[in-house]
Amino acid sequence: MNARIERVVTSGTFALDGGTWDVDNNVWIVGDDKDVIVIDAAHQADPIVEAVGDRHVLAIVCTHGHNDHITVAPELSARLDALITLHRADDMLWQTTHPGAPYEPLDNMHRMTLAGIDVDILHTPGHSPGSVSLHLPELGALFTGDTLFSGGPGATGRSYSDFDTIIDSIRDHLLTLPDETTVYTGHGDTTTIGAEKPALHDWIARGH
């Protein structure tokens, strides 16, 4: 198995509900020397295109529709000749940033195959209605976008988010995975399922 995981960090702003925040985003490139997927399309296209190189991009997978995760999705799609995928439950967020731009509804897909390995697509709403996580069992890898971070759930204090829903998603779909699964997040450091699982009741008690 030659599949590997590469990270590109880009910087820009996240805007919602009238506020703007400076953020660094993780963009994950997963695949082998021939085929890859790009997970999220944050802020600047050039470093992502450079990291992809001459490899074929099967899809640009947007973990959710917040602007900092889809900033350059249409530009990447054109430059890399790759389709964009997004869960339709986040269409209202997509239309705010890229009105009328096309994408392939991710909710029509439950599994992709990449470099001979399976990519299971898990609908994990809460941070946003259409948030998804990607599980690659053969790599022991889970890409969670803004659903689960090192230290707890993603933020749920803004429009279209819900704390009880994100807890259900994490408990029912993510913490059931093997403890050794590495969690590759949308921002910040990686963690593991085993490291986060014991804190579930503390997250519920604190309410965020």
Side-chain angles (χ1 to χ4, degrees):
M1 180 173 59
N2 297 316
R4 61 187 183 272
I5 298 166
E6 303 162 53
R7 180 171 74 162
V8 176
V9 179
T10 60
S11 301
T13 58
F14 164 54
L16 189 66
D17 296 338
T20 302
W21 299 265
D22 293 329
V23 288
D24 297 328
N25 283 60
N26 295 325
V27 177
W28 301 103
I29 299 170
V30 186
D32 57 16
D33 290 335
K34 181 181 178 183
D35 297 310
V36 297
I37 59 173
V38 175
I39 302 175
D40 286 331
H43 305 307
Q44 296 96 26
D46 284 349
I48 303 170
V49 172
E50 181 179 353
V52 168
D54 60 1
R55 291 176 291 181
H56 174 238
V57 179
L58 298 177
I60 300 160
V61 183
C62 300
T63 60
H64 60 292
H66 285 153
N67 75 288
D68 58 319
H69 291 256
I70 63 170
T71 328
V72 292
E75 180 183 352
L76 278 183
S77 176
R79 293 176 64 177
L80 299 174
D81 191 26
L83 62 84
I84 303 164
T85 64
L86 175 77
H87 198 286
R88 276 183 294 193
D90 273 7
D91 184 68
M92 68 292 188
L93 295 167
W94 174 266
Q95 297 300 335
T96 298
T97 304
H98 300 302
Y103 63 86
E104 181 72 20
L106 196 56
D107 37 322
N108 291 341
M109 308 176 191
H110 302 287
R111 174 172 289 176
M112 304 169 63
T113 301
L114 170 71
I117 61 175
D118 290 331
V119 181
D120 294 325
I121 300 164
L122 311 174
H123 184 207
T124 50
H127 180 67
S128 71
S131 288
V132 299
S133 300
L134 282 69
H135 181 219
L136 287 70
E138 288 96 333
L139 293 184
L142 176 70
F143 297 87
T144 56
D146 287 2
T147 295
L148 178 63
F149 292 107
S150 175
T156 54
R158 304 188 182 101
S159 292
Y160 312 115
S161 65
D162 183 77
F163 178 72
D164 290 340
T165 301
I166 203 171
I167 288 293
D168 287 345
S169 293
I170 292 170
R171 179 181 55 222
D172 298 343
H173 298 295
L174 305 185
L175 298 186
T176 56
L177 298 175
D179 284 356
E180 62 271 20
T181 303
T182 301
V183 178
Y184 297 88
T185 61
H187 308 271
D189 297 331
T190 60
T191 183
T192 65
I193 291 296
E196 301 306 319
K197 186 184 295 184
L200 175 64
H201 294 296
D202 291 337
W203 303 337
I204 294 171
R206 78 189 187 194
H208 63 87

